[in-house]
Amino acid sequence: MKIYSSEQIRNVALLGHGGSGKTTLAEAMANVAGITKRQGKIEEGNTISDFDKEEIRRGFSINTSSIPIEWQDCKINLLDTPGYFDFMGEAKEATRVADSAIIIVSGKSGVEVGTEKAWEYAEEMEIPKMVFVTDMDDDQASLKNVLDQLKDIFGKSIAPFQVPIKEGEHFVGFVNVVKMQGRKFIKDHVEQCDIPEGMASELEPVREMILEAVAESDEELMEKYFEGEEFTLEEIQSALHNGVIEGTIVPVLCGSGILNTGVQVLLNSIVKYLPAPKEEHTVVKGLNPDTEEEIEVTCDKDEPMSALVFKTIVDPYIGRLSLFRVYSGILKADSSYLNVNKEDSERISHIYVLRGKEQIEVKEIRAGDIGAVAKLSNTSTGDTLCDKKRPVKLKGIAFPESLACRAVFPKTKGDEEKISSGLHKLMEEDPTIKVVLDSENHQELLYGIGGQHLDVITSKLEAKFKVGVDLKKPKVPYRETIKKKVKVQGKHKKQSGGHGQYGDVHIEFEPSGDRETPYIFEEKIFGGSVPKNYFPAVDKGLQESVHHGVIAGYPVVGVKATLVDGSYHPVDSSEMAFKIATTQAFKKGMVEATPILLEPIVSVKVIVPDAYMGDIIGDLNKRRGRVLGMNPAKGKQEIIAEVPQSEMYGYSTDLRSMTQSRGLFTQKFERYDEAPMDVQEKVIEAKKNEE
C-alpha cells in the first residue's frame, strides 16, 4: 500500500445504533473503492469488518475493525465500531484516534438511542460529525422525518446536503443542494440529471439553511449574503469545510448501503469536508513524563515520533497485534521506541496496515496514519510509544466502568488455571473486562459492561481457549458484629500426664464504633493476674477468631475486646493455652452480646434524562435504597442514592430496560449497615443450606 502524507489522510469512526447499517455501509464503501469485487453481507458472514467467529455467529459487530480505503488520492481509515452498548469500549477506542465521525441513521428506524450515544461519543472527543441516512431504498424510509428528529434532538447545526428524488415511492436519486444539481442512480454509478419540477418548495429552505451557515462563517461572506450576491462554489465548499471542523455544521447525506447508492458521494464528501489530521485547528498535547509539563505534539513527519496504541487483538495462533495511530514523526520497521507508560524499550520488527483480518506489510507509518505491529512484549492499549530523545505521554482512553458482575466457575474440575490464563489474554484485548479474586467467598468475579458482554466473554473462552465456564450470581460479602457490652470468661484447662495446659481470661466485648476494622484489643490487667508475655497470645486468639462469626460464619467487624482479668499457672500456662482460652471467650462473648448481620451499602450515582426520574427513584426505593439528592448534569439528572449491594445485582440490565439504554450509573462501596431481620434470616438459612 502507498505511503500517504497527513494532508491526504482521513481518520473516520463509523458510529450509530446497533443494526443501523455501519458494517454494510463500510462494505459498500470498500466495494465502490474497488477493494472487493463482490459486496459482502452480514447474513453470509463474509464482510471485511466482522471477521471474528463470534461476530459471524451472532450477526453483529463486537470489535472495532480498521478498513483503509484509497479514494481520490487520499487514504480514508474507516474505523467500523459496534453499536451495541455492551461493546462501547470499542467505540471509545475508535473515537479516541479518529479525527471525525460519521453517524449512521436508518431512514426507516430514524434517530435511536444509539444515535444519541454516538453523538455523545463524538462530542466528548470534540471531533467533527457527519450524518449518513441509510436504508433509503426502503419504501418506509423518510429523510424528512429523520431530519426533523435530528434537528429536534441535536439543534440547528444539522445541515442536509441532499434532498431525495423519488419516482412513485422509490428513491431514485437526490438533488445536491450545495451545487444545486440533480443526481440519478444508474445501476452502480451516479449520473447528473435535471432537478424534477415541483421540488422548489422542498429545496428552498434547505438551500437557505446552507447559505446562512456559509454567511455566518466569515464577515466578508456575510456582507455578500446581505447584498444579495451569489456565493461561488469554492466559497460555499470552503466555508462548509470550516463549519464542519468547528462543529457548527453537521452535513446530512443519504443513500443505501445495501444497494450501494449514495456511497460514492459520501466518499467524495469525506475527502472534501472532513478534516485531515494536519489542520490548522489541530493541536495535540502530551505530557513530559519526567516534569509533567505539557508538550505540543505537531502532526509532521519531520517531528520526533510519537504514537498511541488504541487497540490490542489477541489471537491464540497469531499472537498479539497492537493497533496504533502515529501523532508525529514516522514509525519505521526495524526500530526501537520507548514505551513511556511502562518505562521500557520496544523493538518494532514488522509494521502492517490492517484491512479487517488482512495484514498488509509496509515499511513505515507517517504522522496522522494508522497501522499495526505484532508481538510487542510489554505494551498495552492506551500506552504511548515515542522517540527516546523526546519522551511524551499522550492522553489515554477513557473506558466505561464495568459494573455487571458474575462469579466464574469451571465446567470441568481442574480448569481454573486455563480460565485464568484465557481471561488474562481477553483482558489484554478488552480493557473493559475486569477480574477480581474474592478469597473471602472463594470465588472469582468477572466484571463486564452488560449481560451480553459477559456472554461473549464466555463464548470466546470456549472458542479460543477451549475452556467452558458457568456464570453465577456472586455471593455478597456480609459481616457480623455485636450490639451490646458483655464480660465473659474463657478458660482452657487440660491435664494429660506431665505438663498440663492452663489459660484463663476475662474479656469485655463491646461495639468499637469502627466497622472498617475487625477488632481493637486493649488490656487493663491489674496485679499481674495475666503476665504481659501472654498478651500477644490473647491478641492472636482474637485475630484468628474474627474470621468467622457465630451467626452465619461471616467475618466479624467493629468489636472492641478488653482483657480485664484472668489467671495463670506457673508451670502449665502457655501461649497456646491462652490463645485457646481467648477463642472460647470470643465465641461466648459474641453469642451474649446480641450478634447481628451487617450488609454492604454502596453509593450509587444514576444519570438519566428528566423523563425517567420517577421510574428510577421508584425502582431504587424498591431495592431498599435511600435517595440522598439530585443534581443537574449536562441536560440530564444525576440521582445520588445509597443501596444495599445485594439489591444491585442485575441493575445494569434493569436500568437499560427502564431508560431504553439512556441511563448510566456508577457505584462504589460506602460502609456496612445492620441488615433488616428478614434479610438476616434469609442469609442465615442460605448459609445453612450451603453446609
Side-chain angles (χ1 to χ4, degrees):
M1 184 176 274
K2 183 181 158 188
I3 303 296
Y4 288 84
S5 67
S6 58
E7 292 84 1
Q8 298 170 293
I9 293 166
R10 305 288 182 272
N11 295 314
V12 183
L14 296 183
L15 305 173
H17 192 80
S20 61
K22 295 178 294 300
T23 298
T24 301
L25 181 63
E27 195 67 25
M29 289 160 93
N31 185 244
V32 168
I35 291 167
T36 57
K37 288 181 181 174
R38 179 175 174 266
Q39 191 169 321
K41 293 180 181 175
I42 290 167
E43 53 272 24
E44 291 174 12
N46 59 356
T47 63
I48 300 169
S49 297
D50 293 353
F51 57 86
D52 187 279
K53 285 179 184 173
E54 279 300 305
E55 293 176 313
I56 294 166
R57 185 169 75 84
R58 293 170 188 265
F60 59 78
S61 300
I62 291 169
N63 309 301
T64 286
S65 54
S66 171
I67 307 173
I69 287 172
E70 293 172 291
W71 186 258
Q72 290 185 354
D73 205 30
C74 278
K75 182 185 181 190
I76 302 169
N77 287 316
L78 287 180
L79 296 168
D80 180 21
T81 70
Y84 291 101
F85 304 120
D86 280 21
F87 312 103
M88 68 172 89
E90 296 283 330
K92 294 271 187 174
E93 289 174 344
T95 52
R96 170 62 188 85
V97 295
D99 297 306
S100 56
I102 296 178
I103 299 172
I104 319 300
V105 182
S106 165
K108 194 168 53 173
S109 310
V111 174
E112 298 173 90
V113 185
T115 317
E116 295 172 32
K117 292 281 185 192
W119 188 280
E120 282 175 21
Y121 299 155
E123 289 277 288
E124 185 187 331
M125 295 313 298
E126 298 178 345
I127 55 175
K129 300 169 285 291
M130 182 184 276
V131 175
F132 186 79
V133 181
T134 188
D135 295 337
M136 289 302 295
D137 53 298
D138 193 292
D139 293 346
Q140 303 299 311
S142 168
L143 183 65
K144 184 184 179 302
N145 290 349
V146 174
L147 285 171
D148 289 344
Q149 291 173 343
L150 288 168
K151 285 173 196 168
D152 284 347
I153 297 168
F154 305 123
K156 62 179 185 180
S157 61
I158 297 297
F161 280 20
Q162 298 168 342
V163 172
I165 296 173
K166 288 200 169 186
E167 287 180 2
E169 288 299 312
H170 300 294
F171 173 58
V172 295
F174 61 86
V175 176
N176 180 327
V177 186
V178 176
K179 293 182 177 177
M180 284 304 284
Q181 293 174 351
R183 300 279 189 271
K184 216 165 191 181
F185 302 126
I186 310 293
K187 291 186 180 176
D188 59 350
H189 67 284
V190 177
E191 282 184 9
Q192 192 169 326
C193 68
D194 293 331
I195 297 173
E197 287 180 22
M199 286 191 74
S201 60
E202 203 177 339
L203 289 169
E204 203 173 300
V206 177
R207 174 75 174 174
E208 196 58 35
M209 190 193 307
I210 286 177
L211 294 179
E212 279 178 20
V214 170
E216 284 172 13
S217 69
D218 184 271
E219 281 183 29
E220 283 182 33
L221 293 177
M222 182 69 84
E223 279 179 38
K224 206 171 175 183
Y225 178 69
F226 282 127
E227 285 169 13
E229 284 185 56
E230 287 285 317
F231 296 136
T232 65
L233 181 60
E234 288 72 24
E235 283 172 336
I236 293 174
Q237 290 181 339
S238 174
L240 291 176
H241 175 76
N242 293 333
V244 169
I245 288 170
E246 287 162 13
T248 56
I249 295 172
V250 177
V252 182
L253 305 177
C254 62
S256 165
I258 291 171
L259 295 186
N260 231 332
T261 49
V263 175
Q264 188 174 326
V265 179
L266 175 62
L267 287 166
N268 293 344
S269 300
I270 289 171
V271 171
K272 202 175 292 170
Y273 297 117
L274 295 183
K278 191 175 185 176
E279 295 269 355
E280 282 178 30
H281 76 295
T282 312
V283 177
V284 175
K285 289 184 177 172
L287 288 178
N288 181 317
D290 301 319
T291 64
E292 293 293 306
E293 286 176 18
E294 268 193 349
I295 298 174
E296 211 164 278
V297 178
T298 309
C299 186
D300 191 316
K301 68 180 178 64
D302 297 323
E303 287 281 304
M305 203 290 294
S306 63
L308 179 77
V309 174
F310 69 92
K311 181 170 174 57
T312 306
I313 300 169
V314 178
D315 189 282
Y317 307 107
I318 301 166
R320 187 199 295 182
L321 272 171
S322 302
L323 277 72
F324 59 84
R325 171 175 165 172
V326 178
Y327 279 88
S328 62
I330 303 173
L331 190 142
K332 295 180 179 179
D334 298 316
S335 304
S336 286
Y337 296 101
L338 173 69
N339 179 328
V340 177
N341 302 68
K342 304 289 185 346
E343 296 179 356
D344 197 7
S345 181
E346 284 281 18
R347 176 82 184 157
I348 308 274
S349 298
H350 300 278
I351 305 171
Y352 305 96
V353 168
L354 293 190
R355 183 178 282 143
K357 65 180 174 183
E358 184 189 358
Q359 298 171 21
I360 304 158
E361 189 163 356
V362 292
K363 292 290 179 194
E364 61 184 43
I365 300 283
R366 293 187 178 183
D369 208 349
I370 286 171
V373 59
K375 297 174 182 172
L376 293 181
S377 56
N378 197 24
T379 296
S380 313
T381 300
D383 287 356
T384 302
L385 296 172
C386 64
D387 194 311
K388 293 170 187 176
K389 291 172 188 171
R390 190 195 66 175
V392 60
K393 189 176 183 181
L394 297 167
K395 183 183 170 188
I397 301 161
F399 286 104
E401 197 173 347
S402 300
L403 293 163
C405 177
R406 302 286 186 277
V408 184
F409 296 93
K411 280 186 175 173
T412 309
K413 256 191 170 181
D415 272 356
E416 287 83 358
E417 206 169 300
K418 279 167 82 177
I419 292 171
S420 184
S421 168
L423 284 173
H424 180 73
K425 283 178 179 155
L426 291 179
M427 281 162 73
E428 287 180 37
E429 195 171 61
D430 182 356
T432 60
I433 300 172
K434 195 169 70 175
V435 177
V436 175
L437 189 64
D438 177 6
S439 52
E440 177 193 319
N441 288 308
H442 310 293
Q443 58 183 359
E444 193 168 30
L445 301 177
L446 174 64
Y447 287 85
I449 292 174
Q452 198 172 44
H453 187 206
L454 295 172
D455 183 44
V456 165
I457 294 166
T458 57
S459 295
K460 282 187 174 183
L461 278 173
E462 198 154 347
K464 288 188 173 186
F465 306 103
K466 307 291 181 274
V467 58
V469 296
D470 289 320
L471 299 183
K472 297 180 183 176
K473 185 177 178 179
K475 293 175 187 173
V476 178
Y478 292 102
R479 294 287 181 266
E480 296 182 27
T481 193
I482 54 175
K483 288 187 80 172
K484 70 176 188 184
K485 184 176 180 178
V486 294
K487 182 181 173 184
V488 294
Q489 179 186 16
K491 193 172 187 179
H492 178 61
K493 185 179 180 183
K494 200 172 182 185
Q495 198 70 43
S496 56
H499 284 311
Q501 293 179 39
Y502 186 89
D504 177 25
V505 291
H506 293 248
I507 300 176
E508 283 180 353
F509 290 100
E510 62 189 305
S512 69
D514 177 10
R515 287 176 175 172
E516 289 183 22
T517 308
Y519 73 98
I520 296 167
F521 172 55
E522 284 184 8
E523 52 78 22
K524 290 181 181 173
I525 294 291
F526 297 101
S529 55
V530 176
K532 282 184 180 179
N533 58 310
Y534 292 127
F535 293 171
V538 175
D539 191 12
K540 199 168 183 188
L542 291 166
Q543 198 178 322
E544 288 182 10
S545 298
V546 292
H547 291 309
H548 302 283
V550 295
I551 303 177
Y554 286 102
V556 174
V557 294
V559 171
K560 183 180 177 184
T562 309
L563 178 63
V564 292
D565 203 358
S567 61
Y568 76 102
H569 189 281
V571 176
D572 292 348
S573 284
S574 66
E575 285 190 8
M576 179 58 76
F578 271 95
K579 193 175 100 173
I580 293 168
T582 303
T583 57
Q584 289 174 356
F586 180 83
K587 284 177 187 169
K588 196 174 174 185
M590 281 290 291
V591 171
E592 291 179 17
T594 316
I596 55 165
L597 200 70
L598 300 173
E599 62 180 350
I601 304 294
V602 291
S603 171
V604 179
K605 288 181 182 176
V606 189
I607 297 174
V608 289
D610 288 353
Y612 302 103
M613 288 274 290
D615 291 347
I616 298 305
I617 290 170
D619 179 71
L620 290 170
N621 288 333
K622 278 184 200 166
R623 294 173 190 269
R624 298 191 287 121
R626 193 159 57 96
V627 176
L628 303 178
M630 283 160 278
N631 301 312
K634 293 182 183 175
K636 296 182 180 179
Q637 285 288 339
E638 179 188 62
I639 303 165
I640 302 164
E642 287 182 349
V643 189
Q645 185 182 318
S646 60
E647 302 287 347
M648 290 299 290
Y649 178 74
Y651 187 65
S652 56
T653 305
D654 295 343
L655 180 65
R656 276 188 201 175
S657 175
M658 284 185 287
T659 65
Q660 295 181 303
S661 299
R662 288 182 174 89
L664 294 171
F665 84 104
T666 58
Q667 73 175 52
K668 66 171 184 173
F669 171 77
E670 193 64 33
R671 63 177 183 282
Y672 276 96
D673 269 356
E674 182 177 346
M677 196 46 68
D678 61 322
V679 173
Q680 294 197 40
E681 285 167 3
K682 281 179 191 169
V683 173
I684 293 164
E685 189 60 36
K687 200 75 173 175
K688 278 181 188 169
N689 292 337
E690 272 181 36
E691 292 163 7

